[in-house]
Amino acid sequence: MENIKSYVQQHKDRFINELIELLKIPSVSADTAYSQDVIDTAEAVKASLSQAGCDFVETCDTPGYPIIYGEKIIDPNLPTVLVYGHYDVQPPDPMELWTSPPFEPVIKTTDIHPEGAIFARGACDDKGQMYMHVKALEYMVQSNTLPCNVKFMIEGEEEVGSASLAWFVERNQEKLKNDVILISDTGMISNQQPSITTGLRGLSYVEVEVTGPNRDLHSGLYGGAVANPINILAKMIASLHDEDNHITIPGFYDKVQELSAEERAEMAKAPFSLEKYKNALNIADVYGEKGYVTNERNSIRPTLDVNGIWGGYTGEGAKTVIASKAYAKISMRLVPNQDWHEITELFTKHFTSIAPAGVTVKVTPHHGGQGYVTPIDSIGYQAANKAYTETFGVPAIPVRSGGSIPIVSLFEKELKSKTILMGFGLDSDAIHSPNEHFGIFNYLKGIETIPLFYKYFVALSK
Ligand code: BES
Ligand code: MN
Ligand code: MN
């Protein structure tokens, strides 16, 4: 497969331009104003899979956005790789913080990406990383080196909880049968040090509503005499962590898997600079659960964070008011063995119980998913490691990530196969933030590395 490098060199401008076209369509799944764009993106993905060499592609309708399915079956006796990715993106806001419009992709250089990076919403998460697989397939088909069967399943609701994908997977076990699931929707340590994600956190996402008086009140006439829902909500939220930053919900930690001293020592070997971490975020210090270091706090430990909080008057100037209602959106990142339904229930029970008599509390669960860990002695992991070693010149380091791809644990349950997370993004690529970007180096390196995964996976499966 020596000529994957030359194929990439020869076609890189086209690879970049095709991705740029895909990034121009604003496939924001959270906002119905973009629904036609989401559907258009699905069709663009479908066309790209046919063009790359799938011999069957279809748009699968679901209760929500369509799933694009494609396959190339060369021999039913050979292994099958199932590629999963998502074509939907996060909302771009806050718009004013983008240095170029989120759906008008441009290439700019950064300190970390001296050879340039594509700036656009979805560049890294996940259109860019998903499209590497389409181009890797194109190469394998063109060079007649596809060593096994391949199936693609690209969805449009990942950023809003993958409800339709769960529906689809439950109904299509036979169609989706595979030997390994391959996903590029995570990151790696740096462009000099590849890593393979061996764990994802679970998630429970809830919205809370605190109601006080039946109408907004004059804060002078009533202030001090009735419960202010915003004050109360702030107090309730603050009480969810103790002074050591442990979460105070009874039962929250009951099923948390503690890592052994050896496993923690192994984790500590991954290159990490606290100084660089703080500098990159412009913070004077890190903050988190007592007894754990930063790389543990953001991967092997569960968390509780307010993602948004609102209520009362937030317009220009001042208005003296006690609002009738206050709201917050809260996410809990979970670790393996914590069940998200159970955690959602524990949260609801506790949060309702700590409300004083002057208010009522409503908790509405949004979505969630289980965490995931994968062993490093599997054929899939070994194949991925060999592939990275060949293209980067150094072996990959296993890393547990703090992010969530809830569908991965469902894949294991329904399809009985392991997922390999071959990410090529960097933490600094600003996914979900303004100015999201994806390095040209990373994009092309991904296209180069993926065919090697196929090669080694098939070789090791024999
Ligand atoms: N690709 C991310 C998840 C991710 C990013 C995992 C980097 C590991 C490293 C995915 O698109 C995502 O954003 N997931 C959501 C959960 C989803 C249910 C909205 C998340 O982690 O917040
Ligand atoms: Mn993603
Ligand atoms: Mn995302």
Side-chain angles (χ1 to χ4, degrees):
M1 229 179 269
E2 309 81 61
N3 51 6
I4 174 68
K5 262 194 180 348
S6 52
Y7 190 82
V8 168
Q9 278 313 310
Q10 197 182 333
H11 295 277
K12 64 178 187 205
D13 290 343
R14 176 171 59 83
F15 290 174
I16 292 166
N17 288 330
E18 286 176 14
L19 175 57
I20 284 176
E21 287 310 306
L22 196 62
L23 290 166
K24 284 182 185 169
I25 323 175
S27 49
V28 181
S29 52
D31 185 344
T32 51
Y34 295 94
S35 56
Q36 190 55 49
D37 298 301
V38 181
I39 292 164
D40 291 348
T41 307
E43 287 310 306
V45 170
K46 183 181 177 185
S48 74
L49 281 173
S50 307
Q51 186 265 323
C54 279
D55 36 42
F56 174 72
V57 289
E58 65 177 331
T59 305
C60 304
D61 289 322
T62 73
Y65 287 120
I67 290 162
I68 299 301
Y69 176 82
E71 63 178 33
K72 186 164 181 70
I73 308 294
I74 58 169
D75 177 352
N77 296 316
L78 285 170
T80 300
V81 175
L82 173 67
V83 176
Y84 161 83
H86 62 95
Y87 63 78
D88 65 320
V89 303
Q90 282 279 324
D93 60 278
M95 287 292 228
E96 66 280 9
L97 296 182
W98 284 80
T99 52
S100 57
F103 300 108
E104 293 171 31
V106 285
I107 296 172
K108 288 183 266 195
T109 58
T110 72
D111 290 349
I112 290 175
H113 296 294
E115 66 303 293
I118 306 177
F119 279 71
R121 173 56 88 229
C124 176
D125 185 10
D126 181 38
K127 284 173 173 167
Q129 296 211 68
M130 176 270 290
Y131 207 67
M132 298 180 314
H133 288 267
V134 181
K135 293 299 101 179
L137 173 69
E138 177 192 303
Y139 163 71
M140 291 186 284
V141 171
Q142 290 301 319
S143 60
N144 224 346
T145 55
L146 179 67
C148 61
N149 306 309
V150 57
K151 297 176 177 176
F152 278 79
M153 175 171 61
I154 314 295
E155 70 149 321
E157 292 178 22
E158 197 279 340
E159 299 292 6
V160 290
S162 300
S164 298
L165 186 71
W167 177 92
F168 181 75
V169 170
E170 280 157 21
R171 282 162 183 76
N172 289 281
Q173 266 128 334
E174 196 47 43
K175 181 194 197 102
L176 300 173
K177 227 169 148 278
N178 66 80
D179 296 280
V180 69
I181 298 169
L182 185 59
I183 304 180
S184 295
D185 193 21
T186 53
M188 56 178 190
I189 294 174
S190 73
N191 284 356
Q192 291 72 44
Q193 179 55 68
S195 53
I196 299 172
T197 301
T198 52
L200 294 163
R201 284 196 285 194
L203 180 70
S204 163
Y205 200 109
V206 299
E207 184 163 332
V208 300
E209 180 190 291
V210 175
T211 306
N214 60 2
R215 60 186 164 88
D216 287 7
L217 302 173
H218 188 289
S219 65
L221 295 180
Y222 290 92
V226 295
N228 176 331
I230 301 176
N231 291 9
I232 300 290
L233 176 60
K235 214 168 162 175
M236 288 168 70
I237 287 170
S239 80
L240 296 175
H241 290 93
D242 67 17
E243 310 79 82
D244 293 335
N245 279 316
H246 292 302
I247 294 156
T248 56
I249 300 169
F252 187 84
Y253 291 100
D254 283 3
K255 300 208 171 146
V256 169
Q257 233 176 44
E258 297 287 340
L259 266 66
S260 65
E262 293 75 41
E263 286 172 299
R264 290 178 71 182
E266 200 52 46
M267 273 186 79
K269 287 186 192 159
F272 175 75
S273 154
L274 191 60
E275 274 323 297
K276 280 194 187 144
Y277 187 85
K278 291 193 285 191
N279 287 339
L281 301 176
N282 200 13
I283 50 175
D285 206 354
V286 290
Y287 186 85
E289 187 181 2
K290 193 174 169 187
Y292 296 91
V293 298
T294 298
N295 274 347
E296 296 173 326
R297 289 170 176 168
N298 67 17
S299 66
I300 59 163
R301 298 299 296 166
T303 60
L304 183 151
D305 277 294
V306 177
N307 294 246
I309 180 163
W310 70 104
Y313 185 71
T314 56
E316 198 184 328
K319 176 188 178 190
T320 49
V321 66
I322 292 175
S324 164
K325 285 178 188 288
Y327 307 83
K329 290 183 194 276
I330 296 173
S331 68
M332 287 161 278
R333 297 281 170 172
L334 310 176
V335 296
N337 287 1
Q338 281 184 300
D339 176 75
W340 79 271
H341 298 285
E342 209 172 295
I343 292 293
T344 306
E345 240 168 73
L346 289 176
F347 174 91
T348 307
K349 215 172 120 203
H350 177 68
F351 205 69
T352 317
S353 77
I354 60 174
V359 298
T360 54
V361 170
K362 193 167 104 192
V363 178
T364 311
H366 269 277
H367 57 76
Q370 315 294 32
Y372 185 73
V373 269
T374 191
I376 63 168
D377 55 8
S378 69
I379 289 174
Y381 186 91
Q382 297 302 327
N385 193 21
K386 274 166 137 342
Y388 278 108
T389 307
E390 196 164 318
T391 50
F392 284 83
V394 284
I397 294 176
V399 169
R400 278 179 61 172
S401 170
S404 308
I405 310 177
I407 208 70
V408 170
S409 63
L410 190 100
F411 287 158
E412 178 151 287
K413 183 166 157 260
E414 298 285 339
L415 305 175
K416 314 272 179 287
S417 45
K418 292 264 174 252
T419 292
I420 302 301
L421 298 158
M422 286 182 80
F424 292 89
L426 300 178
D427 282 355
S428 55
D429 287 346
I431 64 170
H432 293 211
S433 302
N435 305 310
E436 176 178 352
H437 54 279
F438 189 37
I440 302 284
F441 169 88
N442 303 67
Y443 179 51
L444 301 178
K445 208 65 161 177
I447 300 170
E448 256 179 55
T449 309
I450 291 163
L452 294 168
F453 170 83
Y454 284 70
K455 174 178 145 185
Y456 291 123
F457 183 74
V458 174
L460 291 169
S461 298
K462 283 196 177 125

